[in-house]
Every structure is written in structure tokens, then in C-alpha cells.
Amino acid sequence: MKDESYRILVVDDEEDLCEILKFNLEMEGYIVNTANSAEEALTLDIASYHLLLLDVMMGGMSGFALAKQLKSNATTAPIPIVFLTAKDTENDTVTGFTLGADDYIAKPFSIREVILRIKAVLRRTAHQNAIDNQNTLSYKGIIINLDQKTITVDGQNVSFSKTEYELLKLLLEEKNRVFSRQQLIDRIWPSDVQVSDRTVDVNITRLRKKIGQYATHIATRQGFGYYFNA
């Protein structure tokens, strides 16, 4: 899809900033609409947009609350969300990504940075859509091709061992389920192979490194085991 085919909705209570973003994004060929509150945004046909730029701190409904509402609706859940906000603490960033955000840009920012980040998100989304009909298992930018036994992370092919592949496949297949180390051993390793808990930990560590920005999604439940936090 060409840039001019993409529709973007900017939601921010700073009218001047909305106009600046609208002008510059339209110069890139995007179709851009603005809303100065979450409530105003909800009066629009949000499902018709390919990407949303949401401010977090707004009068009335916050950007986080709007995102949560949109992600709970099957019609609007797939739309990529990029948060634009002055709040840049680690907790706020984690909250944004937990709600399903695709990117998080702290103010003040350069317009060029915003444009580049938007292009990256849309490119990643297009790549995801292109393989939707293939036999794949995915979470955001992580895509496992079950036929070819390959894994891409944000569009880049990454080399995984068979054990790492099977571990990631299992965790993605059963997101949010906590597996003990022994359960992982029973499901992943051959029954005639002696495997220690330490071996599981080492493979999880390697797996986290290979999936880059998604590493924190492979979480530890202290005293129980590992799970994929989606």
C-alpha cells in the first residue's frame, strides 16, 4: 500500500500540535484527521484508520483509557497505536505497551522522528497482514512460519536452534499460561535426554536476547516458571 492510501488519526488536546502533525504527515502523502479529545475521536469511524497517534494526558478520557476501549473491540483492536506523550517514565511506557501500543514517543520530539516511527509501524503492519493467510503463529513483530520452521522479528530473519524454536512456539501457542521448568522439559526435550532446570534457564535467556524488544514478554512467575505475557 502506498503512503497516500494510509489514513491516520491524531488525537491530542493541543490543537496547534495536531495541526503541525497533520500538515507534516499530509506532506508525506498520508490522509490525516485530528480530534482534540478521546471523546471526539470516538464519534469518528475509527475502524477506517490504519494508524492512531494518541496523546496520553488529555482532559476527560485519557489516551490509555481510549486505547483500552479500542483494543477490547474486535473491529478496532488490530489498528496500530503510537502514543505521543510528555509522560516518559518506565511505568508509563510499560503501561502503553501492555495496552497493545506499537510504539511510544515522548515529547518533545522531532517531526522527522515521528514520521520515521510511523513508517516503521506501518511497514511492520503491512508485513504482518501480508502473511495472515499463511500458516503462522505471531505476536506483534514476532512471526513464526510453522511450515518453513522460521522466525522473523520485526521483519528480520533470526536464527534459532530447534529447542529455542520449540520453546517460543509453545509459549506463543499458550500465551499467559505459566509453565514450570519440568513442564517445559517434558514438552520440548526428548524423553531419553537428561535436562536440568539450569538448561531451561539458559535457553530462555538466549530466547529473550533473540527476540529483542519483545524480551520482557517472556516473563518469570517467581516460584512457578515462565510464561509469555501478551
Side-chain angles (χ1 to χ4, degrees):
M1 181 180 291
K2 295 180 179 179
D3 287 354
E4 61 265 22
S5 299
Y6 285 114
R7 289 169 50 82
I8 297 174
L9 176 62
V10 180
V11 185
D12 197 304
D13 57 3
E14 296 182 50
E15 293 186 24
D16 289 345
L17 180 57
C18 280
E19 290 306 310
I20 291 171
L21 287 169
K22 177 180 171 65
F23 174 80
N24 284 276
L25 290 171
E26 286 181 340
M27 290 292 290
E28 293 293 318
Y30 298 111
I31 299 169
V32 184
N33 294 115
T34 64
N36 296 130
S37 69
E39 290 81 359
E40 180 184 352
L42 288 171
T43 68
L44 305 174
D45 182 12
I46 292 181
S48 69
Y49 293 96
H50 299 96
L51 183 140
L52 307 178
L53 289 178
L54 303 184
D55 185 26
V56 170
M57 300 301 292
M58 296 182 284
M61 180 185 287
S62 70
F64 283 160
L66 175 58
K68 184 176 182 180
Q69 181 171 328
L70 296 176
K71 290 299 181 181
S72 66
N73 184 315
T75 303
T76 54
I79 303 172
I81 292 176
V82 176
F83 281 117
L84 297 176
T85 177
K87 295 174 71 63
D88 59 354
T89 67
E90 182 178 354
N91 285 341
D92 292 319
T93 304
V94 170
T95 298
F97 284 123
T98 300
L99 288 171
D102 291 81
D103 209 342
Y104 195 107
I105 306 175
K107 300 176 182 177
F109 49 75
S110 72
I111 294 298
R112 187 60 185 163
E113 177 190 8
V114 174
I115 291 171
L116 289 174
R117 301 277 275 271
I118 286 174
K119 286 181 181 293
V121 170
L122 289 173
R123 184 166 57 248
R124 187 165 66 239
T125 303
H127 180 72
Q128 176 91 39
N129 292 338
I131 63 167
D132 276 347
N133 294 325
Q134 296 181 13
N135 185 20
T136 61
L137 183 64
S138 66
Y139 177 81
K140 293 189 176 179
I142 302 174
I143 301 169
I144 302 178
N145 188 310
L146 300 174
D147 292 328
Q148 299 178 5
K149 310 299 182 187
T150 59
I151 300 175
T152 59
V153 179
D154 289 336
Q156 299 297 315
N157 288 318
V158 180
S159 177
F160 286 79
S161 69
K162 184 178 186 298
T163 299
E164 292 163 353
Y165 172 92
E166 294 295 343
L167 271 172
L168 183 58
K169 176 175 174 287
L170 175 60
L171 293 173
L172 281 181
E173 283 177 334
E174 303 191 43
K175 300 181 187 71
N176 299 313
R177 174 184 172 181
V178 178
F179 290 91
S180 68
R181 290 174 175 82
Q182 187 58 53
Q183 286 175 321
L184 291 174
I185 291 171
D186 293 341
R187 296 282 292 271
I188 302 300
W189 279 267
S191 58
D192 59 345
V193 175
Q194 293 295 317
V195 180
S196 67
D197 287 355
R198 176 58 180 163
T199 300
V200 176
D201 295 339
V202 168
N203 277 273
I204 289 291
T205 298
R206 290 174 178 166
L207 190 55
R208 283 171 172 156
K209 288 181 179 179
K210 290 187 177 183
I211 61 175
Q213 65 170 315
Y214 306 103
T216 56
H217 287 284
I218 298 180
T220 304
R221 183 63 53 81
Q222 197 65 35
F224 293 94
Y226 297 105
Y227 66 103
F228 193 94
N229 184 16

